[in-house]
Amino acid sequence: MHVLYFSRDYTPHDHRFLTSLVGAGIDTTFLRLERGARQVEDRPLPPQVLLASWRGGRIPFRWRDAPGLAVSLRQVIAAVKPDIIHAGPVQTCAFLASLSGFKPLVTMSWGSDLLKDANRNVWLRLVTRWTLRRTAVLVGDCRAVQQKAAEFGFSPSRVTLFPWGVDLDRFQPLTGERPLRQRLGWQDSFVLLCLRSWEPIYGVDVALRGFALAARQEPRLRLILLGGGSQAGLIHQVIEENELRDRVYLGGQVRQADLPGYYQESDLYLSASHSDGTSVSLLEALACGKPVLVSDIPGNREWITQGQEGWFFPDGSVDSLADAILRAVHSPERLPGMSLAARRLAESRADWQKNFQRLLAAYQNILPRKATPRQ
């Protein structure tokens, strides 16, 4: 079997898919639509992955280029001769793959492409419907994606629910010291971790404002804030206005190898995202045994039970978030049980190695019998 994996950029998620595809004995070629459009993976491509090149890439993707890009994609397809194209997000890479006329097409939703972008305007609704009509299998990471695709007429029976998952060997509960907390003098602090991208959809400004309100009442509160993005000016403004420079650690973009350590340094994972499918960072936090405090949105409700692995707060409510942070700080007796529940949930539902088999099964279901993985 030869898969052309077509993605918008090269992110940590892409690295994981590509590594698992070649690890399963599948010949894999990677095609990248843009460069620098998202957080870029710092690890090189797996050595077995072939890299396709074309002249059509743009930074950023522009709709007026779509016809020309589709022609360039046909040339790539003619050279690569894949058995399957695996493409996403829906309105960019999968749309271009559908314009090329290639079949079978496995469309992979990245969550917000269906949950938010699909209804943003008439054009995106048309593009979404066009793409789904030419999709053999839709790969989605949560039931909310499946339900949204059904609104566009896509049969739920052709959706492979694949909640991605994490490497449970890499993301584990703390087994050693906390060097960052020691260096910052935060040994006796209650530390929250927020590592969503600084983009409007992820509500990092809401998370920071809620933290600021709670920190006025609880001097032990500290925040590890990782990442970056287009709202950097706003984030720094909120920090300055609330005099949080000594209570917020700005870690920037961190290497994937260092990521588990940041979860282990924290007491509570925080996400104020306004839209999510299955958040991989949420699964990583659960795997590390972290209680969570997350916005009350459908993607999060598929994973978290209120009071069991953590807590919800109403989406966008700064005051409610502050109250929830204070409840967590003042409920230390509940945290060990939540930590155990979080890890158990990750082990039962968020094991990447087990979940990935669903994608391989979806490939086999749409292929002629002759196109099988190498043995």
Side-chain angles (χ1 to χ4, degrees), residues 248-267:
V248 176
Y249 172 77
L250 297 173
Q253 301 288 0
V254 302
R255 297 186 311 141
Q256 287 295 305
D258 298 332
L259 194 53
Y262 284 95
Y263 289 104
Q264 294 163 353
E265 295 273 359
S266 66
D267 298 299

Side-chain angles (χ1 to χ4, degrees), residues 204-278:
V204 178
D205 57 322
V206 173
L208 188 55
R209 293 182 194 278
F211 171 80
L213 284 180
R216 293 174 190 172
Q217 301 182 50
E218 177 49 74
R220 292 178 295 158
L221 281 173
R222 299 293 186 271
L223 174 65
I224 297 174
L225 187 60
L226 305 181
S230 66
Q231 288 190 312
L234 173 61
I235 297 303
H236 287 287
Q237 178 183 339
V238 174
I239 291 173
E240 293 298 322
E241 289 176 350
N242 291 277
E243 299 179 347
L244 295 173
R245 282 173 293 177
D246 295 332
R247 304 182 73 170
V248 176
Y249 172 77
L250 297 173
Q253 301 288 0
V254 302
R255 297 186 311 141
Q256 287 295 305
D258 298 332
L259 194 53
Y262 284 95
Y263 289 104
Q264 294 163 353
E265 295 273 359
S266 66
D267 298 299
L268 182 71
Y269 167 83
L270 172 61
S271 174
S273 179
H274 302 302
S275 177
D276 258 325
T278 291

